Amino acid sequence: MMNVNIAELKTDLGRELPFSFTTTAEELDAVSDDYQFEGPIMVTGTVVYTGSCWRVAGKIEDVKTFVCGRCLADCRENQVHDFSEDFSREAAETEDLVNVFEGDMLDIQDMIRDTLLAAQPLSNICKPDCKGLCPVCGHNLNEGDCGCDRFVPDPRMAALQQLLKKE
């Protein structure tokens, strides 16, 4: 559990209370078939009492490993994700963006998991300009051209191609 004790912030408006946690993807229930988080996931941040709520802000640092969806290369990526959310003891009728809690402990585990998972791209690509694999021979085109003829004729022009072949 990632609990931050805010008892000492009750009367100190604007004072920052630092926190840090080390966790794993399994403990966060952030396991996927498409990628893995390698090693520990580091969470650091601060809690500030603003007078009406407690603002929790910080960053998540992790290492993600995956297989590129275009060239099938094994990839490793260092990631840093920022987060900031408000917590309140009472449900505010006008603000739906405030997390409600009771007592003196803020449980931020769900927020950390949601931030980590929402920050992952829909497709795992090694780099934005990944060229992928040759559809003819399977060569990784990021390593150079293979020389295969990858021309695909336009099927709408097939009738014209037949006329050119007759002449």
Side-chain angles (χ1 to χ4, degrees), residues 105-116:
M105 300 297 270
L106 290 178
D107 183 6
I108 63 171
Q109 184 166 338
D110 290 342
M111 176 189 64
I112 297 301
R113 181 190 64 244
D114 294 347
T115 301
L116 185 63

Side-chain angles (χ1 to χ4, degrees), residues 117-131:
L117 294 177
Q120 302 309 312
L122 295 176
S123 59
N124 293 310
I125 307 295
C126 62
K127 55 186 178 180
D129 61 342
C130 178
K131 297 176 183 173

Side-chain angles (χ1 to χ4, degrees), residues 10 21 64 67 88 100 106 113 117 125 141 145 157:
K10 287 182 183 177
F21 295 101
K64 176 183 168 184
V67 175
S88 177
V100 180
L106 290 178
R113 181 190 64 244
L117 294 177
I125 307 295
L141 297 174
D145 193 27
M157 300 297 219

Side-chain angles (χ1 to χ4, degrees), residues 62-134:
D62 63 83
V63 177
K64 176 183 168 184
T65 59
F66 60 94
V67 175
C68 178
R70 289 185 188 161
C71 68
L72 304 179
D74 290 328
C75 302
R76 186 172 196 258
E77 180 181 78
N78 293 328
Q79 296 182 328
V80 177
H81 312 290
D82 295 325
F83 62 88
S84 178
E85 289 201 26
D86 293 338
F87 287 78
S88 177
R89 287 200 170 107
E90 299 174 2
E93 294 177 15
T94 58
E95 292 187 37
D96 293 332
L97 302 175
V98 177
N99 300 296
V100 180
F101 73 100
E102 294 178 1
D104 290 334
M105 300 297 270
L106 290 178
D107 183 6
I108 63 171
Q109 184 166 338
D110 290 342
M111 176 189 64
I112 297 301
R113 181 190 64 244
D114 294 347
T115 301
L116 185 63
L117 294 177
Q120 302 309 312
L122 295 176
S123 59
N124 293 310
I125 307 295
C126 62
K127 55 186 178 180
D129 61 342
C130 178
K131 297 176 183 173
L133 300 175
C134 172

